[in-house]
Amino acid sequence: MIPVSNELELLSQQINLAHRAAVQAELIAADLNEIGHPMLLTILQSCADSDPDGQCHAQRELAELLHISPAAVANSLKSLEKGGYIRRERGRDARRNRVLLTPKGQQAVIGCQMAFETVSRQMLQGFSPVEREQLLSFRRRMLHNLRGESPTKTQAKEEP
């Protein structure tokens, strides 16, 4: 019998790998397999939606948000630019470039969001709405615990 801590670790890895594989399969089916980091593309769309100037997070902030290195963000942006998904312009603040989605990038965001939704539906099949909310709450708490963050008032209220 596998100790609970080992089983949890193994299950976490298996879920992560299965999720990545399912998203990648959906992106391939949508002919978007060249997008290396689809979540980055969707975040860039969110920035464009929330800021009329198209000013997005700094590279460092994107790296922290995605839990990847700033160099990985730079490489992903370079790849997206080369593929025609984004373009960069000098911003009002000389220290930050604006990252703008091209029409091709906007179409790709739609495909990425559809892939995420398809995989989420598949992954959460058979879960009730209450179970889905509980699962989100538990996973948020796990993430905060792993990051060493103290729970917010909202999280504390969610706990049984």
Side-chain angles (χ1 to χ4, degrees), residues 18-128:
H19 184 269
R20 284 178 187 241
V23 168
Q24 190 61 37
E26 290 295 322
L27 292 174
I28 289 169
D31 199 27
L32 294 171
N33 50 312
E34 71 179 358
I35 296 179
H37 211 299
M39 186 56 69
L40 176 58
L41 203 59
T42 58
I43 289 170
L44 293 173
Q45 176 66 50
S46 297
C47 291
D49 290 345
S50 64
D51 187 338
D53 289 334
Q55 194 73 27
C56 198
H57 299 284
Q59 189 173 303
R60 182 181 64 252
E61 293 167 331
L62 288 168
E64 289 172 6
L65 184 64
L66 294 166
H67 281 277
I68 59 176
S69 71
V73 170
N75 287 336
S76 291
L77 290 174
K78 190 182 298 183
S79 175
L80 289 170
E81 188 171 29
K82 185 178 179 181
Y85 296 100
I86 65 166
R87 63 185 171 84
R88 297 187 230 199
E89 292 180 355
R90 185 174 286 255
R92 280 188 256 163
D93 180 349
R95 295 171 293 168
R96 285 174 43 166
N97 286 333
R98 291 174 46 188
V99 179
L100 303 168
L101 290 171
T102 63
K104 180 180 179 180
Q106 292 170 344
Q107 284 301 117
V109 166
I110 294 167
C112 290
Q113 289 172 332
M114 289 173 57
F116 293 147
E117 288 173 21
T118 298
V119 171
S120 289
R121 269 194 311 276
Q122 178 186 357
M123 181 173 61
L124 297 171
Q125 186 176 359
F127 284 79
S128 72

Side-chain angles (χ1 to χ4, degrees), residues 137 141 144 149-160:
S137 176
R141 194 176 340 154
H144 287 286
E149 299 169 350
S150 59
T152 63
K153 291 178 183 178
T154 306
Q155 290 170 318
K157 289 178 186 176
E158 289 177 0
E159 294 181 17

